[in-house]
Amino acid sequence: MAGLNRSDDPITGMFNTDSPAMESNGDGFLPVLGQTADWSLDQVAPETLTNVLPEDSGASQDALGAQHHPNQQMNSTELGSVEKAVEQFQIASAQLFQEEQPPPPPPPPPPPQPTEEGEQPPEHKAESPESQQDSQEMAVEPEAAAQDSTQDGTEAQLETEDGMELEEPSKETTEDPAVPAEPAEPQLPSEFEKLFKGCEENPEDFNAWVYLLQYVEQENVLEAVRKSFDVFFLRYPYCYGYWKKFADIEKKHGNIQVAEEVYRRGLQAIPLSVDLWLHYLTFIKENSDPSDPETEGRIRAAYEHAVLAAGTDFRSDRLWESFVNWETEQQKLANVTAIYDRILGIPTQLYSQHFQRFKDHVQNNNPKHFLSEEEFVQLRLELAKANLVAMICEDEETPVAQEELPPGTEDLADPAKRVTEIENMRHKVIEVRQEVFNHNEHEVSKRWTFEEGIKRPYFHVKALEKTQLNNWKEYLDFEIENGTPERVVVLFERCLIACALYEEFWTKYAKYLEGYSTEGVRHVYKKACTIHLPKKPAIHLLWAAFEEQQGNVEEARGILKSLEAAVPSLAMVRLRRVSLERRHGNLEEAEALLREAMESAKNATETSFYAVKLARQLMKVQRSLSKARKVLLDAIENDQTSPKLYLNLLELEYSGDVTQNEAEILACFDRALQSQMPLESRLLFSQRKVEFLEDFGSDINVLVATYEEHQKLQKESEPTKRKAENGYDRWILEQGLGHINTLFS
């Protein structure tokens, strides 16, 4: 197969790989794909989280550092461990596979950052009787054309895991095609513009997107395919099946390098997708030159990225098994042991199966092959010392000379001793890991009920059942209280794939990260608001408040302005913009925003609402009684039936010296009484006018006249009041008579 040249260009998508944070934390931690040496998580330095999580980066993810040390307690909640978890997630997701190779010709512009998705994976049943393995994400067919149900199937070998509902790759897509000469770009299909415009106008219609993507795939015009998929992923980045479909189309057209870029963008968008990682790994194996001495190192580095990003997922077993199988094929048995050392400390669905396979691995191979030279020599010394102590205890009087051990991993000269040493080593290796397994089994048992309750681990545009939402809430609360911060981060990331459309989970995640990382919180809010929940006001308001708390007033201002553009005419958003300007001394801007809202109001009620807000602003903040009075009087001219306008005008006049403002206050009462308000409202104003004159009036004649007018209003209202009362009494009487008739019938 043709060699695969990889790009040095930064990956486009959810992460800002050009940011200083990524420049300072990328190359220093990631292996170069050309290197064949093993990559250990211990190379990752626990720097502060704010340097690792840029605002455009992918959401934080659990790291595997803890799995390198199986004896680490699961209840650790140190700040540094959270930072390392998020840091490692960022490294794995944001800087995939950088190489020291000349950049290829620039691929077509990458699609905008994705957002949400609807997919349905087939569920795989595990070989182990203990559990079932769920495949993470499958694309959803339109409701009109397909049923909304997952398909069950027996989990086959990892090599056959590529068979997905959504994509059934033809032979053309699995073979390495020759790169054809690019002909002149054909015209867009006839129906394309119509379908594409429909999706742009109503991006929430997922079925329309699915129909569009099926159409462009069928027409097979690359320009239309790229345009459709790129815009689709802006809104639905969690559709793992469509990332693979897009990559397959590019590969079918001979664009191997572009296909890899598609995979990389997909893995940035959804780094927890085990299925997408497995498809990507298969892709690079198929499109790498076996004769290239750097190929093995590239593939190994890709596996390391995969397990770093998704290896702590409870359902990541197939990824680990693929890694083990590949290292076994390379006959790197010591690497296989190192992989098992990591997975045996991670709570996963097939934890018991991993331990059984590890024991088979130990029993079927020579220790000097499956152990590193350092561990082998150390173990040999320990066993020799133990044998020496035992011999001395048996015969204390006879001095025993210590047998000289051969250097390095050379075999013992005595065949019988050699066999004994090998068996003792095997027993010791398993014994040490048994303790780790026992601890891991306990951790799995604590989470098993929650994991069984997760019926839809992938994203879907359909609403989740209440039981599913409650299970996620309870699982998160449990992990926050009992788990390590690394596991909490991973669980939030898993939850927000299935619950991407529920702002309560985004808010909970942001609140959790507040104690650890400002950048982490900012990233969560940004991802939620710009991709998954662009029209949800509550989480936007929280994001704006967070940025204002950090002193980023311009950012907060921009967030609110963008939200108002996306969801216009929301009073809560306009008032938050006003209050932000007021808090920072921009009183003229605050006043201008309220006046603008009054002018653009859709009806008189909305205008009156903003007029009251503006009058209070002018009176209470700017201390301008005259401007506030004018605002209310102008509003009353336009809406004479709003009691709130008259009440606020009265409150404004009452705020001064009532003995000096008597004329203005009485004039306000008169406006209300002469208005077209309902009689009941005018009667209340009349009563308050009488009370005002009793308390503060200076002319008895005015009081008497007002009292007489009030009596007239009361008489005018009595028929209406009596009618209402009589109607009620009549209803009561009818009900009572009906009840009596029922009793005596």
Side-chain angles (χ1 to χ4, degrees):
M1 297 182 185
L4 179 61
N5 295 322
R6 290 176 175 75
S7 169
D8 287 330
D9 296 339
I11 302 171
T12 58
M14 194 167 296
F15 301 93
N16 180 7
T17 53
D18 293 329
S19 69
M22 297 315 299
E23 291 175 0
S24 62
N25 289 300
D27 298 333
F29 297 117
L30 290 180
V32 177
L33 275 178
Q35 294 176 346
T36 58
D38 292 339
W39 185 62
S40 167
L41 289 181
D42 295 333
Q43 294 174 247
V44 181
E47 295 186 5
T48 57
L49 189 58
T50 54
N51 291 332
V52 179
L53 194 52
E55 62 180 88
D56 286 336
S57 65
S60 44
Q61 173 74 341
D62 191 346
L64 297 178
Q67 281 70 44
H68 280 289
H69 308 284
N71 295 328
Q72 178 179 348
Q73 293 299 316
M74 299 295 290
N75 58 359
S76 168
T77 56
E78 300 172 357
L79 172 60
S81 57
V82 170
E83 294 174 346
K84 187 171 183 179
V86 182
E87 174 180 349
Q88 290 178 339
F89 177 81
Q90 291 307 115
I91 291 168
S93 303
Q95 287 191 291
L96 295 171
F97 318 127
Q98 295 186 353
E99 300 184 78
E100 297 176 354
Q101 293 188 6
Q113 190 46 33
T115 311
E116 321 193 47
E117 108 171 46
E119 341 184 4
Q120 265 181 315
E123 295 177 357
H124 297 275
K125 292 185 179 180
E127 297 174 344
S128 169
E130 302 164 359
S131 57
Q132 294 180 343
Q133 182 70 27
D134 289 339
S135 175
Q136 280 298 45
E137 305 113 347
M138 259 329 282
V140 179
E141 295 293 334
E143 294 178 22
Q147 299 178 350
D148 175 33
S149 60
T150 55
Q151 296 184 355
D152 294 333
T154 304
E155 178 176 340
Q157 297 294 327
L158 290 174
E159 292 81 344
T160 64
E161 202 271 327
D162 289 9
M164 307 193 310
E165 285 183 319
L166 179 63
E167 47 275 334
E168 297 177 358
S170 63
K171 294 180 180 179
E172 298 171 299
T173 61
T174 55
E175 296 173 0
D176 191 18
V179 180
E182 284 283 342
E185 192 67 41
Q187 293 183 347
L188 294 176
S190 57
E191 294 291 317
F192 172 74
E193 291 298 339
K194 178 183 175 182
L195 295 173
F196 188 80
K197 185 177 180 181
C199 292
E200 281 190 315
E201 291 175 350
N202 186 16
E204 288 83 11
D205 186 354
F206 187 79
N207 287 340
W209 282 108
V210 172
Y211 188 80
L212 171 66
L213 297 181
Q214 290 176 341
Y215 174 77
V216 296
E217 182 186 14
Q218 177 182 343
E219 295 297 322
N220 200 30
V221 177
L222 198 54
E223 181 182 347
V225 169
R226 288 172 175 171
K227 185 175 181 181
S228 301
F229 276 93
D230 286 352
V231 179
F232 170 76
F233 287 130
L234 275 176
R235 188 152 189 87
Y236 300 103
Y238 284 168
C239 292
Y240 116 82
Y242 285 102
W243 285 109
K244 183 183 185 299
K245 181 181 283 290
F246 189 15
D248 284 345
I249 294 172
E250 291 287 2
K251 181 180 177 183
K252 182 178 180 180
H253 282 264
N255 302 321
I256 303 300
Q257 218 158 8
V258 178
E260 187 189 7
E261 290 296 320
V262 170
Y263 271 118
R264 293 169 63 184
R265 286 168 45 209
L267 292 169
Q268 280 183 323
I270 181 168
L272 278 176
S273 175
V274 171
D275 293 279
L276 192 57
W277 275 111
L278 289 172
H279 288 305
Y280 174 72
L281 291 163
T282 300
F283 172 85
I284 63 171
K285 291 175 191 174
E286 292 177 349
N287 294 280
S288 295
D289 184 0
S291 63
D292 186 349
E294 294 184 349
T295 293
E296 182 179 329
R298 293 192 190 105
I299 296 175
R300 180 172 292 111
Y303 269 111
E304 287 291 350
H305 283 291
V307 296
L308 180 63
T312 47
D313 191 315
F314 192 81
R315 306 174 189 225
S316 62
D317 304 280
R318 288 177 296 120
L319 180 59
W320 288 103
E321 289 174 3
S322 176
F323 197 2
V324 166
N325 292 340
W326 181 80
E327 288 286 10
T328 303
E329 291 171 4
Q330 310 309 308
Q331 300 182 351
K332 299 297 175 63
L333 299 183
N335 290 352
V336 172
T337 303
I339 295 170
Y340 276 122
D341 281 342
R342 294 158 71 178
I343 184 58
L344 291 178
I346 302 175
T348 65
Q349 205 169 30
L350 304 183
Y351 72 99
S352 181
Q353 182 173 301
H354 294 311
F355 189 53
Q356 183 57 50
R357 290 182 176 178
F358 170 72
K359 290 191 287 187
D360 294 341
H361 165 70
V362 170
Q363 294 295 342
N364 296 333
N365 295 287
N366 193 310
K368 71 177 181 179
H369 297 148
F370 68 75
L371 294 177
S372 66
E373 181 175 352
E374 180 182 357
E375 185 177 357
F376 180 86
V377 171
Q378 180 65 29
L379 189 57
R380 169 177 273 177
L381 289 173
E382 290 177 4
L383 292 175
K385 285 182 180 180
N387 290 336
L388 181 61
V389 170
M391 293 173 64
I392 292 175
C393 291
E394 289 176 4
D395 192 355
E396 296 182 358
E397 297 180 0
T398 307
V400 179
Q402 183 174 357
E403 182 179 358
E404 216 173 291
L405 297 174
T409 59
E410 293 182 16
D411 293 333
L412 295 174
D414 188 335
K417 290 183 178 180
R418 186 188 315 151
V419 171
T420 302
E421 182 190 55
I422 289 174
E423 289 304 315
N424 289 342
M425 280 189 170
R426 287 172 174 165
H427 176 76
K428 186 67 175 177
V429 166
I430 294 175
E431 181 183 28
V432 170
R433 274 74 174 181
Q434 181 74 48
E435 184 179 347
V436 177
F437 169 78
N438 293 341
H439 174 73
N440 194 42
E441 185 173 43
H442 178 64
E443 295 300 324
V444 170
S445 67
K446 292 192 293 187
R447 293 163 176 80
W448 195 263
T449 302
F450 295 117
E451 291 291 342
E452 281 191 326
I454 300 173
K455 305 302 181 185
R456 199 179 84 185
Y458 50 89
F459 173 85
H460 199 293
V461 291
K462 287 188 175 182
L464 274 171
E465 299 174 355
K466 277 190 175 181
T467 53
Q468 291 280 290
L469 296 174
N470 290 334
N471 184 65
W472 279 114
K473 291 176 188 174
E474 292 169 4
Y475 196 178
L476 286 168
D477 290 339
F478 166 83
E479 203 67 69
I480 289 171
E481 183 177 352
N482 300 282
T484 63
E486 293 90 345
R487 295 214 61 82
V488 175
V489 168
V490 153
L491 188 60
F492 266 117
E493 292 296 330
R494 291 179 59 199
C495 171
L496 288 172
I497 293 174
C499 307
L501 302 183
Y502 294 88
E503 57 186 334
E504 59 187 293
F505 293 102
W506 291 99
T507 302
K508 189 182 184 75
Y509 192 13
K511 294 294 182 186
Y512 173 77
L513 289 178
E514 278 182 359
Y516 301 106
S517 166
T518 299
E519 287 299 320
V521 176
R522 177 175 292 117
H523 165 70
V524 170
Y525 279 132
K526 185 169 186 177
K527 186 177 179 184
C529 295
T530 60
I531 300 177
H532 300 283
L533 306 171
K535 294 185 178 180
K536 293 282 189 179
I539 194 163
H540 282 78
L541 295 179
L542 287 172
W543 184 20
F546 168 78
E547 294 295 353
E548 188 178 355
Q549 287 176 325
Q550 307 308 313
N552 301 324
V553 179
E554 278 301 322
E555 182 72 15
R557 187 177 287 122
I559 292 166
L560 295 174
K561 191 173 181 179
S562 298
L563 174 60
E564 195 168 45
V567 191
S569 303
L570 280 181
M572 61 192 301
V573 180
R574 177 52 62 104
L575 294 180
R576 180 62 67 85
R577 291 184 65 189
V578 170
S579 65
L580 182 145
E581 300 300 343
R582 175 184 53 77
R583 282 191 293 272
H584 296 279
N586 303 324
L587 300 184
E588 291 183 2
E589 179 65 19
E591 180 181 345
L593 286 170
L594 288 171
R595 291 190 183 277
E596 180 187 323
M598 290 174 61
E599 293 171 2
S600 60
K602 297 178 181 178
N603 51 57
T605 302
E606 192 174 329
T607 303
S608 299
F609 171 81
Y610 286 114
V612 169
K613 296 293 183 183
L614 177 56
R616 289 179 178 176
Q617 164 94 5
L618 293 170
M619 178 63 189
K620 303 294 185 182
V621 180
Q622 300 185 24
R623 302 295 182 184
S624 178
L625 178 63
S626 59
K627 291 177 69 174
R629 182 187 291 118
K630 185 177 186 308
V631 168
L632 291 174
L633 291 175
D634 290 345
I636 288 172
E637 288 296 322
N638 296 323
D639 183 10
Q640 298 184 9
T641 60
S642 173
K644 288 185 177 180
L645 289 175
Y646 295 102
L647 286 171
N648 278 275
L649 183 58
L650 272 174
E651 180 186 351
L652 183 147
E653 301 296 358
Y654 265 95
S655 63
D657 186 346
V658 292
T659 59
Q660 298 295 325
N661 291 348
E662 182 177 350
E664 287 81 359
I665 294 173
L666 291 177
C668 182
F669 277 122
D670 291 340
R671 284 191 188 90
L673 294 171
Q674 294 166 14
S675 71
Q676 299 176 5
M677 283 191 300
L679 179 59
E680 184 179 357
S681 298
R682 286 185 283 128
L683 186 61
L684 290 175
F685 277 96
S686 177
Q687 177 66 39
R688 291 194 64 178
K689 183 179 180 181
V690 171
E691 293 172 357
F692 169 76
L693 290 171
E694 286 282 7
D695 294 339
F696 307 107
S698 59
D699 190 339
I700 185 60
N701 295 319
V702 176
L703 173 60
V704 171
T706 302
Y707 183 74
E708 290 175 354
E709 292 173 1
H710 182 63
Q711 292 295 330
K712 290 178 183 179
L713 278 177
Q714 280 186 323
K715 288 179 181 180
E716 188 180 343
S717 69
E718 281 179 1
T720 306
K721 184 178 180 182
R722 189 179 300 113
K723 183 178 180 180
E725 291 176 349
N726 288 343
Y728 178 74
D729 293 341
R730 188 180 302 110
W731 181 81
I732 292 293
L733 179 60
E734 289 174 355
Q735 293 297 314
L737 289 174
H739 181 61
I740 292 172
N741 291 335
T742 302
L743 290 176
F744 289 96
S745 60

